[in-house]
C-alpha cells in the first residue's frame, strides 16, 4: 500500500494509541510538515474497556484483553488509512521534481519558473533579489534620516516663530508679532496667561480654569 503512493523519502510516524499523526520531511531541505492529529476512536474505546476491567478486577479482566487485541488489528487498519490521508493532506505542500523525482517543499525548494526542484534548477535570482532587498533597506534608512532632519528643522522653525503660526480665522501663515492678519484682517490676540499660575487662558475666559483666579486684563 505504502509502496503504491510515492512521497517524501523521510517521514516520522507520531501515532499513538490515542490517534494518528505523521510528519513528512522535504527531500531537499528536511523541513518537517506535520499532519493534524487524528484522534483514534478505537483507542478511546480500548481505554474505556481498560477502565472497566480495572474497576471490576479479574471478572472483566479478559474483556480488556479482547478489546486490546481487537484494537490492534483495527488500529493497524485505521493507521494505514490515516497514513494515506496524511499524505493527501500534505501533498499540496510538496512538489515532485520531474527530473530527480524528489519530493520537495513548495515553500523553499521549488523553482516555480523552471518547474524543477532548486537542486536541479538553482534559483539564481535569489542572490540578486537579496542584494536588491538590502539596498532597498538602505534607501529607506537614508530617506528616514532626511525626514528626521526635515522634522527637526521644521520644529525649530515653528519654535522660532512662536505658537501663533497661523491666523485663527483664515489659517493664513503669520510672521512674527502681528496684530492683524495680513490676509483677512482678523485681530490676532495675544495668548493670555493666568497671572497667578501661568496656565494658558482662553481669550474669553473670566477665570483661570486651573487655579480659578479672576482674570485681570
Ligand atoms: Zn525544502
Ligand atoms: Zn530535482
Ligand atoms: Zn486671517
Ligand atoms: Zn491660574
Amino acid at each position: 500500500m505504502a509502496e503504491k503512493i510515492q512521497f517524501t523519502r523521510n517521514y516520522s510516524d507520531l501515532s499513538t494509541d490515542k490517534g494518528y499523526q505523521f510528519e513528512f520531511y522535504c527531500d531537499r531541505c528536511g523541513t518537517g510538515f506535520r499532519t493534524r492529529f487524528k484522534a483514534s476512536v478505537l483507542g478511546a474505546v480500548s481505554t474505556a474497556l481498560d477502565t472497566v476491567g480495572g474497576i471490576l478486577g479479574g471478572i472483566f479482566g479478559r474483556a480488556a484483553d479482547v478489546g486490546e487485541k481487537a484494537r490492534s488489528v483495527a488500529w493497524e487498519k485505521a493507521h494505514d488509512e490515516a497514513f494515506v490521508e496524511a499524505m493527501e493532506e500534505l501533498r499540496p505542500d510538496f512538489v515532485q521534481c520531474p527530473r530527480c523525482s524528489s519530493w520537495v517543499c513548495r515553500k523553499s525548494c521549488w523553482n516555480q519558473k523552471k518547474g524543477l526542484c532548486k537542486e536541479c534548477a538553482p534559483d539564481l535570482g535569489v542572490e540578486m533579489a537579496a542584494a536588491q532587498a538590502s539596498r532597498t533597506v538602505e534607501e529607506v534608512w537614508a530617506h528616514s534620516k532626511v525626514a528626521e532632519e526635515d522634522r527637526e528643522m521644521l520644529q525649530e522653525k515653528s519654535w522660532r516663530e512662536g505658537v501663533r503660526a497661523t491666523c485663527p480665522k483664515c489659517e493664513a501663515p503669520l510672521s512674527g508679532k502681528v496684530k492683524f492678519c495680513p490676509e483677512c484682517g482678523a485681530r490676532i490676540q495675544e495668548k493670555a496667561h493666568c497671572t497667578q499660575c501661568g496656565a494658558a487662558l482662553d481669550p474669553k475666559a473670566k477665570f483661570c480654569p486651573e487655579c480659578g483666579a479672576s482674570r485681570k486684563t
Side-chain angles (χ1 to χ4, degrees), residues 12-131:
S12 288
D13 190 342
L14 309 168
S15 303
T16 64
D17 279 0
K18 297 222 162 45
Y20 316 102
Q21 190 173 33
F22 303 90
E23 188 168 8
F24 293 91
Y25 304 102
C26 168
D27 283 347
R28 184 172 175 265
C29 70
T31 299
F33 289 77
R34 216 171 258 203
T35 56
R36 277 175 286 118
F37 184 82
K38 196 190 168 202
S40 163
V41 185
L42 301 152
V45 170
S46 162
T47 308
L49 280 172
D50 285 346
T51 312
V52 171
I55 292 165
L56 298 177
I59 305 161
F60 286 96
R62 282 193 67 84
D65 286 339
V66 172
E68 188 76 26
K69 281 214 175 66
R71 189 208 66 185
S72 300
V73 176
W75 190 89
E76 286 299 335
K77 195 170 173 285
H79 179 256
D80 286 352
E81 282 168 14
F83 183 70
V84 175
E85 266 177 45
M87 283 193 285
E88 294 300 327
E89 184 187 330
L90 290 185
R91 188 159 291 195
D93 292 322
F94 290 91
V95 191
Q96 188 179 29
C97 175
R99 195 194 242 173
C100 65
S101 55
S102 290
W103 281 92
V104 297
C105 67
R106 198 179 281 276
K107 209 167 126 197
S108 46
C109 298
W110 182 246
N111 189 328
Q112 186 71 41
K113 271 190 206 153
K114 298 268 164 65
L116 294 168
C117 77
K118 284 186 183 171
E119 201 61 43
C120 298
D123 202 343
L124 295 173
V126 168
E127 288 293 311
M128 241 168 69

Side-chain angles (χ1 to χ4, degrees), residues 167-172 174 181-186 188:
C167 166
K169 209 172 182 185
C170 73
E171 294 194 332
L174 304 171
C181 170
E183 289 295 320
C184 70
I188 310 302

